[in-house]
Amino acid sequence: MKYPAYPRYKDSGVEWLGEIPAHWDAKKLKFLAEIRTSNVDKKSEEGELPVRLCNYVDVYKNDFISSDIEFMQATATKEEINRFKIQKDDVLITKDSESWDDIAVPACVGEDFEDVVCGYHLAQIRPNKTELRGRYLFRCFSASGICDQFKVAANGVTRFGLPQDAVGGSFFPVPPLEEQTAIAAFLDRETARIDGLIARKQRLVELLQEKRTALISRAVTKGLDPNVPMKDSGIEWLGEIPAHWEVYKFRYVFKMKGGMTPEKGNPEYWNGEIPWVSPKDMKKEIIADSEDHITSTALNDTGIGLVPPQNVLIVVRGMILAHTFPVAMTAGQVTINQDMKALVPIIGFGS
């Protein structure tokens, strides 16, 4: 495709974006699209109309929203259906997250639907067709620089959210429509090729992960000696265990210790030396530190309590559980927030 001869580049007027092709523009998203934040939740209410719900996980796990997805059944009012029914070329983004750097994850609606509405924790963006193509906008949300605007704008401490004005006030480069279409088509082809390469590598990773899991499972349920005498554990899924082992219910071996959030408005409670672990820190197997810290004053005033080293932490609440179940072990003394639990061994059973 040939394009008219334009001067090559110009200053976009946006510091982080720098220069753009001279025939492009840079505009705030609110001038290019209609932006709506959904309030349609997963509950089914009497008197409302049945709908299928495109929810957080559908967007987080898919680049394109299609009829192949098994949408959740829910209900909505007629007004909510009219306002939040999705249509082809809409772009949906996750507007809430457990982590500031995992927000504004996009998906593009690939077809029209009669009864699918945009669900809670999502923003629905409908491009102005005279200015913007949905598939191009979708790719923009995955571009560094553009997506960094949303990471910076995310508000919160244990949960992060994007205000609607932060989404609307973000800048996007805007080529002519035919060029947007060409860019989107190019990226569809190239990302599909790269995704194929990733899938093959991912299969190898999965096989190695299966081997790793099998190795751990064998060691913790059968021991290291293949010749040791065995006995029936009495538990169907566990099968035989070494004859000198015992089986106990969890509650006899561990107690679960919860956490809390000290008052955010009290400066004497924050920016201290004591790690305060929340789900956003649960990205590694060993936790020695955290993003946020509290003071000894917060520890004394709230009775939050310390979790000792060599204790297991798990996440029990939050959107992160939609796609993973984080588990880690403490390498030092920490405190935790209310979305976490520490598994503390009961004296007599070791650690």
Side-chain angles (χ1 to χ4, degrees):
M1 180 183 296
K2 293 185 177 180
Y3 298 103
Y6 297 105
R8 195 168 180 185
Y9 290 105
K10 68 178 181 183
D11 183 5
S12 66
V14 181
E15 184 176 0
W16 62 263
L17 183 56
E19 290 189 330
I20 57 175
H23 60 291
W24 291 22
D25 288 320
K27 296 182 179 181
K28 290 184 177 181
L29 187 58
K30 63 184 178 182
F31 300 128
L32 301 168
E34 183 178 2
I35 305 164
R36 302 168 181 171
T37 55
S38 176
N39 60 352
V40 182
D41 59 30
K42 300 177 181 179
K43 297 177 182 178
S44 292
E45 301 286 352
E46 187 175 351
E48 294 184 344
L49 300 173
V51 295
R52 292 183 295 163
L53 193 66
C54 180
N55 62 32
Y56 182 94
V57 176
D58 299 324
V59 171
Y60 191 91
K61 292 189 173 182
N62 296 281
D63 282 347
F64 295 98
I65 303 300
S66 71
S67 52
D68 293 335
I69 297 173
E70 189 173 342
F71 298 106
M72 175 180 291
Q73 299 292 327
T75 64
T77 65
K78 185 176 180 180
E79 291 75 16
E80 288 172 337
I81 295 171
N82 290 336
R83 182 166 176 76
F84 297 114
K85 185 171 74 171
I86 63 176
Q87 67 182 41
K88 186 176 181 180
D89 286 338
D90 282 356
V91 174
L92 310 180
I93 64 169
T94 58
K95 72 174 186 67
D96 299 299
S97 177
E98 300 287 353
S99 175
W100 64 270
D101 59 353
D102 190 30
I103 204 162
V105 177
C108 186
V109 180
E111 58 190 89
D112 288 316
F113 294 93
E114 288 299 321
D115 63 341
V116 179
V117 300
C118 176
Y120 195 54
H121 296 305
L122 299 173
Q124 180 182 11
I125 304 169
R126 181 161 295 166
N128 179 341
K129 293 183 179 180
T130 64
E131 293 265 13
L132 200 58
R133 296 284 186 253
R135 291 176 86 93
Y136 169 77
L137 177 63
F138 158 68
R139 295 299 182 187
C140 285
F141 270 99
S142 299
S144 59
I146 295 175
C147 66
D148 290 344
Q149 296 177 97
F150 305 106
K151 296 175 183 178
V152 172
N155 292 327
V157 177
T158 60
R159 293 182 179 86
F160 295 83
L162 281 173
Q164 184 168 325
D165 59 354
V167 178
S170 58
F171 280 94
F172 283 76
V174 188
L177 290 175
E178 63 176 10
E179 203 168 343
Q180 292 182 35
T181 301
I183 290 170
F186 167 79
L187 291 175
D188 285 349
R189 291 192 306 272
E190 290 302 303
T191 55
R193 182 179 65 83
I194 294 170
D195 287 345
L197 296 173
I198 292 173
R200 289 193 286 274
K201 295 292 185 182
Q202 185 64 39
R203 180 54 185 155
L204 177 59
V205 172
E206 288 171 358
L207 291 172
L208 291 172
Q209 183 66 41
E210 289 173 10
K211 182 176 181 179
R212 180 179 187 271
T213 301
L215 182 69
I216 294 172
S217 298
R218 170 73 194 184
V220 302
T221 62
K222 309 300 180 188
L224 300 178
D225 185 353
N227 300 314
V228 71
M230 305 292 283
K231 69 178 181 182
D232 183 8
S233 67
I235 300 172
E236 184 177 359
W237 63 264
L238 183 56
E240 290 190 329
I241 60 173
H244 62 291
W245 288 21
E246 299 293 339
V247 176
Y248 295 93
K249 289 187 175 181
F250 180 89
R251 65 175 177 266
Y252 299 134
V253 182
F254 292 96
K255 59 182 178 180
M256 298 182 71
K257 177 182 177 65
M260 65 171 293
T261 300
E263 182 186 348
K264 289 293 181 183
N266 190 336
E268 295 184 358
Y269 287 172
W270 295 95
N271 300 317
E273 300 296 327
I274 303 168
W276 181 73
V277 180
S278 62
K280 66 177 179 286
D281 300 303
M282 296 286 284
K283 297 175 182 177
K284 49 191 176 182
E285 293 182 345
I286 304 298
I287 300 291
D289 203 356
S290 60
E291 287 190 25
D292 301 301
H293 296 76
I294 63 171
T295 62
S296 56
T297 302
L299 197 69
N300 295 332
D301 288 358
T302 64
I304 188 173
L306 288 167
V307 179
Q310 302 298 306
N311 279 237
V312 174
L313 303 180
I314 61 173
V315 178
V316 296
R317 185 174 64 179
M319 287 176 291
I320 195 171
L321 296 175
H323 50 82
T324 189
F325 179 61
V327 180
M329 178 171 283
T330 57
Q333 287 189 328
V334 304
T335 57
I336 57 177
N337 84 340
Q338 64 275 11
D339 297 331
M340 311 275 299
K341 293 289 186 183
L343 310 184
V344 181
I346 295 174
I347 294 175
F349 287 96
S351 60

